Amino acid sequence: MMPKQQQDATAMTRKTIKVSIERTTNSQSEFAVPLYDNQTVLDVVSWVQQNADPTLSYRFACRVGMCGSCAMMVNGVPRWTCRTHISKVLDGDEVTIGPLRNLPVIKDLAVDMDPFFDKWVAAEGFHHGDLTRDDPIAAVDETSAARVTANAGIECINCSVCYAACDTVAGNADYLGPAALQRAWTLLNDAKDEGRATILDAVSGRGGCHSCHSMGSCTAYCPNDLDPMTAIAGLKRETAKAFFKRGRSK
């Protein structure tokens, strides 16, 4: 183990980085944070809160990319901070960290996720079943095209990175957003879900899938490599088919 005097000397000579953190007061606080090997952005934020400013508010849980709660804006880009190494995002020896875009800020780096989940519900992003616990479990063909399509979106953990990246959300408060629409697409292709008509009605109205401008930021920034833009394109096709089918049946 390194002697204490040597440890102190190492700490004094360790390189520091300039960290600017956006605060609730519409200002930025700047901190000199020691740089370590394999240091993540979340490590940097935690160091600030533990060593420089205990009033700093932020959110995290698992630290391993499972919960998504540590998502923040890093140099203007939405990221999971627990899986982003600081060395990958430094601009020289500086970095700016802020709360997720497109969501109300509670305090500092912590945002209110209610609008995000309200839209998830508005898009009918929950299972619509007609079976009871007494009914046998329905078999699912894992090789079917619909099941493969549904599986493509089930790894979404609702971290809201895509929502923060979306310029349509920024300009249209009614837009349901890529995560909610991707969930709707997943359920639309789930053989066990009985809400097809309900889902199509929910995503075809004001703020639905046709509000998407197909810029692709949601897909580009998804930390789980999902493809919400393709899911939204699928919803556009299916809602258009339903519309013209309804027109022909009148």
Side-chain angles (χ1 to χ4, degrees), residues 4-114:
K4 186 176 186 307
Q5 287 183 334
Q6 190 173 350
Q7 290 181 29
D8 292 341
T10 300
M12 291 176 64
T13 59
R14 181 177 293 279
K15 180 180 179 180
T16 62
I17 57 175
K18 178 182 175 182
V19 179
S20 299
I21 296 181
E22 298 177 17
R23 308 303 292 266
T24 315
T25 55
N26 294 321
S27 63
Q28 286 189 347
S29 297
E30 296 182 354
F31 304 92
V33 178
L35 186 64
Y36 295 89
D37 293 336
N38 299 321
Q39 187 178 25
T40 66
V41 175
L42 181 58
D43 291 333
V44 168
V45 174
S46 297
W47 188 97
V48 170
Q49 196 272 337
Q50 294 167 11
N51 297 277
D53 186 352
T55 70
L56 178 65
S57 295
Y58 63 108
R59 182 184 288 123
F60 75 97
C62 72
R63 301 185 73 96
V64 293
M66 293 293 290
C67 71
S69 61
C70 71
M72 303 172 198
M73 303 298 291
V74 182
N75 289 340
V77 175
R79 296 177 178 273
W80 288 348
T81 56
C82 72
R83 296 289 293 272
T84 301
H85 285 254
I86 193 65
S87 61
K88 302 294 185 182
V89 295
L90 283 176
D91 183 5
D93 62 351
E94 300 181 10
V95 65
T96 299
I97 304 170
L100 281 180
R101 192 173 71 132
N102 298 334
L103 288 164
V105 177
I106 297 173
K107 184 176 183 290
D108 299 333
L109 302 174
V111 297
D112 183 358
M113 296 289 289
D114 280 354

Side-chain angles (χ1 to χ4, degrees), residues 142-185:
E142 290 290 335
T143 63
S144 69
R147 185 66 250 172
V148 172
T149 299
N151 284 344
I154 61 175
E155 292 301 325
C156 174
I157 61 174
N158 292 313
C159 65
S160 200
V161 163
C162 64
Y163 192 87
C166 181
D167 287 334
T168 303
V169 172
N172 182 357
D174 294 324
Y175 182 49
L176 294 172
L181 292 171
Q182 179 170 255
R183 175 62 178 169
W185 178 243

